[in-house]
């Protein structure tokens, strides 16, 4: 049986075994595979970056367009609301003015009825009116003439006989003069103190205009 022991002085000729010695092309192929994998990874990363960039760009464009469209729609909506609000305010103002005018006309009509009723039941209220009118023209009147309704003429003749005699004043009945008023005439002037005239003057001080015969 032979011995497997190798003396030390013979070991120098023995080289250690390596896997590369079996396939010298292995390193080259491995390097090629690594290069291909690196290129694939780089290409994939570039695709991912491009996709992410496109996604971000799409979001930005979509947000900008959507924001602009929303602002335009809001502006149109606000303009529409403003138009409706202005029309409503105008309608309310017109309604208020109409109602106010109706109320004023009603108040004036009631006032006319009250004045007429008062004159019919208290005709003597004309006495202070005639007296005040005469006093306002006494300095320039020579032969004043009172023109008034026949019923008022009888009452004034009775109530102011002395004063009329002192002033040398005559009375002329006239059916065209409304009860409660008088017109004083002289050769040089005419003073209108008829009821329609006094009514219009009184309303004018209140900024109103109305016809007594309305």
């Amino acid at each position: 049986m032979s011995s497997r022991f190798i003396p030390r002085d013979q070991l120098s000729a023995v080289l250690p075994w390596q896997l590369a010695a079996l396939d010298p092309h292995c390193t080259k192929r491995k390097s090629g595979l690594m290069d291909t994998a690196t290129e694939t990874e780089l290409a994939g990363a570039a695709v991912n970056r491009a996709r992410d960039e496109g996604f971000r760009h799409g979001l930005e464009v979509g947000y900008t367009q959507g924001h602009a469209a929303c602002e335009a729609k809001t502006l149109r909506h606000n303009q529409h609301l403003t138009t409706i609000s202005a029309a409503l305010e105008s309608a309310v103002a017109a309604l208020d003015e109409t109602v106010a005018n109706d109320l004023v006309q009603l108040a004036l009509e009631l006032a006319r009825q009250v004045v007429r009723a008062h004159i019919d039941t208290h005709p003597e209220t004309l006495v202070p009116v005639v007296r005040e009118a005469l006093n306002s023209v006494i300095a320039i009147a020579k032969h004043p003439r009172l023109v008034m309704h026949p019923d008022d003429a009888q009452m004034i003749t009775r109530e102011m006989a002395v004063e009329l005699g002192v002033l040398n004043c005559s009375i002329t009945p006239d059916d065209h003069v409304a009860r409660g008023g008088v017109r004083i005439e002289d050769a040089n002037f005419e003073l209108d103190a008829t009821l329609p005239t006094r009514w219009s003057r009184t309303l004018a001080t209140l900024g109103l205009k109305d016809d007594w015969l309305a």
Side-chain angles (χ1 to χ4, degrees):
M1 180 176 182
S2 61
S3 176
R4 296 181 179 180
F5 176 77
I6 300 175
R8 177 180 297 275
D9 56 352
Q10 297 180 6
L11 291 177
S12 59
V14 180
L15 297 174
W17 179 82
Q18 295 181 0
L19 180 61
L22 297 178
D23 190 357
H25 302 288
C26 179
T27 302
K28 184 176 180 180
R29 288 199 301 272
K30 183 176 181 180
S31 176
L33 291 174
M34 292 179 63
D35 292 342
T36 301
T38 301
E39 291 177 355
T40 301
E41 291 178 358
L42 292 176
V47 170
N48 291 336
R49 286 194 301 271
R51 182 184 59 204
D52 293 341
E53 182 65 24
F55 181 73
R56 286 193 298 270
H57 179 70
L59 285 178
E60 292 176 356
V61 173
Y63 175 80
T64 300
Q65 293 178 349
H67 184 68
C70 182
E71 285 188 340
K73 185 175 181 180
T74 300
L75 179 60
R76 290 194 300 270
H77 181 67
N78 290 339
Q79 290 175 343
H80 185 58
L81 288 180
T82 300
T83 301
I84 294 177
S85 178
L88 181 59
E89 290 180 0
S90 178
V92 171
L95 179 62
D96 290 344
E97 183 176 356
T98 300
V99 172
N101 289 335
D102 291 343
L103 290 176
V104 169
Q105 293 303 317
L106 178 59
L108 291 176
E109 180 58 31
L110 291 175
R112 268 194 298 268
Q113 296 299 329
V114 170
V115 171
R116 285 169 176 160
H118 184 72
I119 291 174
D120 290 339
T121 57
H122 301 281
E124 67 277 6
T125 55
L126 179 59
V127 173
V129 175
V130 174
R131 184 174 288 122
E132 181 181 355
L134 286 173
N135 289 334
S136 65
V137 299
I138 193 172
I140 59 176
K142 294 182 180 180
H143 301 285
R145 181 175 69 257
L146 304 182
V147 182
M148 62 182 63
H149 190 275
D151 294 338
D152 290 337
Q154 294 179 8
M155 185 269 300
I156 291 297
T157 299
R158 182 177 65 252
E159 297 292 333
M160 299 181 60
V162 176
E163 294 175 67
L164 295 178
V166 172
L167 297 175
N168 195 21
C169 182
S170 63
I171 298 179
T172 301
D174 188 344
D175 290 332
H176 295 90
V177 178
R179 291 205 65 184
V182 61
R183 188 171 65 251
I184 302 179
E185 299 176 351
D186 189 77
N188 300 317
F189 70 88
E190 178 178 317
L191 176 63
D192 188 354
T194 57
L195 188 56
T197 299
R198 285 157 41 211
W199 172 263
S200 298
R201 289 173 180 171
T202 300
L203 294 184
T205 62
L206 301 176
L208 301 175
K209 185 178 180 180
D210 184 67
D211 187 359
W212 171 255
L213 299 178

